[in-house]
Amino acid sequence: MKLWEGRMSGEVDARLNQLNASIGFDQRMYRQDIRGSMAHARMLGKTGILSPEDTQAILSGLAAILADIDAGRLTIDPEAEDIHTFVEGELTARIGDAGKRLHTGRSRNDQVALDDRLYLADETLELIAGVKHLTETLCTVAEGHLTDVMPGYTHLQRAQPVTLAHALMAYAQMLLRDMSRLQDCRSRTMVSPLGSGALAGTTYPLDRRMVAQELGFHDISMNSIDGVSDRDFALELMSALSILMMHLSRLSEEICLWCSWEFRFMTLDDRFSTGSSIMPQKKNPDIAELVRGKTGRVYGDLMTLLTAMKGLPLAYNKDMQEDKEAVFDAVDTVRLCLEVLPPMLESAAFHPDNLRKAAAQGFINATDCADYLTKKGVPFRDAYHVVGALVKQCVEAGYTLETLPLSAYQAAHPAFEEDLYQAIDLLNCVSRRTVEGGPAPEAVRAQIAWTRAQLAEIKDAE
Ligand code: ARG
């Protein structure tokens, strides 16, 4: 039996059911649906719209349904149109007429908007906890590599020396911003639409603020038409998740490169790698590749809902039911990625010798070499040209700046002296970059401490 039987007679076409039903995917919101209905019922009782007996019957009925679903004693009927229909139908089957009074002053339109918000707000807390854990992992791994010099890249060309710790902590900073975006979007999600009715509010003297407060919302929506037709909160969440996935994808790309024989900066633990069915030597970074690959999927989820929403006239339209599969998929995908990255990073072995070797080969101390001359009074642009010519000479003769003899330096410029080698020593080059936010070990140690202090401020539970 459809909730809306009455206006229409007879059975609907089975094909309509298939397209129309959302129970297959919205049943995961049963807790939020019941929580919302209990708050609504309590308010109906408090305001005298429902009798104390009916209110009590509804509350215990809903509590029993929740317990039964949780315990697996009650299966959600796949034939029901959606989770809201199922819960109301089950309640009525259990308690009779009182169950039919639950929907007083409410529409499925404000109910589904409420459920969406409650569900996504809960999920967002878990996502924040996941990002937090990954950030903590990056801090811990970074702490072990404060003096491991590696090339920093621009254009994927070796550019200047940094440390592995500094490179990893760059990702931690991205994740801090992701968490702040998630918190921010959650605060706009925690606005209660209940009381908007179908679109035009209601004539019952509802206490909207009581319901909102009971459910942990910090505000109520201020326009009933907007209350039922707004899905910004889902879009914002998917936008934040898209940016987060872009970060995870960049980290993953880096991991794929670093695991290649060309780089050999790290090796993944066997538990987090896969092999090939034909090439016996293969050890593949599939997890990183999948995180990179699934990023496109999350962007797709965002585009799905943006596109579904863009042409909708006010207020609720059934197109909006499409919000759920998209946002659930985005949330599930991100959660999976966040679960697998920390143990993969923790168990990976980094190879400081190879990092160091790569750092020694790209003339990444050329800027420091030019700075050395500048400190001796040579104008920077002149020093730049002198060192450029020296690099050319090294490339041709197979030297690095560290192995090029002093005589060659002095032939290029008389200001070069023996202390030059100190100045271009890679660890010295990094250690001198003590500017706040720089790669010197002490600066990165401070960065890690600062990041941990930020993490301690992040609320990941209510
Ligand atoms: N399953 C619907 C959804 O997800 C619930 C709202 C139904 N409202 C309606 N007017 N048909 O959007």
Side-chain angles (χ1 to χ4, degrees), residues 22 26 82 84 108-109 112 231 316 318 320-321 324:
S22 53
D26 66 16
D82 55 27
H84 329 294
R108 266 190 304 164
N109 295 353
V112 72
R231 292 293 181 274
Y316 177 85
K318 197 61 176 260
M320 290 162 70
Q321 178 165 286
K324 282 176 259 327

Side-chain angles (χ1 to χ4, degrees), residues 189-402:
T189 303
M190 289 307 281
V191 172
S192 173
L194 214 61
S196 301
L199 81 159
T202 173
T203 55
Y204 293 100
L206 302 187
D207 185 345
R208 296 189 60 198
R209 293 189 187 273
M210 175 185 164
V211 178
Q213 203 182 5
E214 173 168 343
L215 293 171
F217 289 103
H218 56 73
D219 215 341
I220 59 171
S221 58
M222 263 308 145
N223 178 304
S224 62
I225 299 176
D226 180 54
V228 291
S229 63
D230 166 34
R231 292 293 181 274
D232 290 4
F233 55 95
L235 289 167
E236 278 193 55
L237 176 58
M238 284 190 281
S239 310
L241 293 181
S242 294
I243 299 177
L244 166 62
M245 283 304 287
M246 178 269 289
H247 293 149
L248 301 186
S249 184
R250 293 183 73 178
L251 174 61
S252 299
E253 166 65 8
E254 207 99 73
I255 291 169
C256 291
L257 284 175
W258 290 359
C259 286
S260 72
W261 280 103
E262 282 69 18
F263 281 79
R264 223 57 198 160
F265 287 175
M266 68 188 291
T267 312
L268 294 176
D269 190 88
D270 285 354
R271 282 182 306 137
F272 294 100
S273 332
T274 55
S276 152
S277 61
I278 173 171
M279 297 167 282
Q281 85 285 9
K282 286 301 282 291
K283 178 165 168 175
N284 297 326
D286 288 43
I287 289 178
E289 292 168 83
L290 281 166
V291 171
R292 194 176 57 189
K294 283 185 187 291
T295 301
R297 179 175 173 140
V298 175
Y299 294 178
D301 292 328
L302 170 63
M303 288 315 296
T304 297
L305 187 57
L306 276 174
T307 312
M309 294 298 294
K310 74 179 266 295
L312 298 188
L314 295 174
Y316 177 85
N317 297 267
K318 197 61 176 260
D319 317 43
M320 290 162 70
Q321 178 165 286
E322 289 294 304
D323 63 351
K324 282 176 259 327
E325 279 167 295
V327 77
F328 294 166
D329 183 70
V331 164
D332 292 348
T333 305
V334 174
R335 187 177 324 107
L336 204 58
C337 295
L338 286 171
E339 271 168 22
V340 73
L341 284 173
M344 186 188 80
L345 281 171
E346 267 161 12
S347 61
F350 290 91
H351 308 308
D353 289 353
N354 292 341
L355 293 167
R356 182 69 188 222
K357 240 180 264 162
Q361 281 160 3
F363 304 102
I364 61 178
N365 42 7
T367 316
D368 296 87
C369 189
D371 286 344
Y372 169 89
L373 282 184
T374 311
K375 281 176 194 146
K376 301 234 165 173
V378 182
F380 179 77
R381 194 46 68 201
D382 292 342
Y384 171 95
H385 287 304
V386 170
V387 177
L390 283 169
V391 168
K392 189 162 182 254
Q393 206 176 316
C394 286
V395 172
E396 283 161 6
Y399 285 109
T400 65
L401 286 174
E402 293 95 314

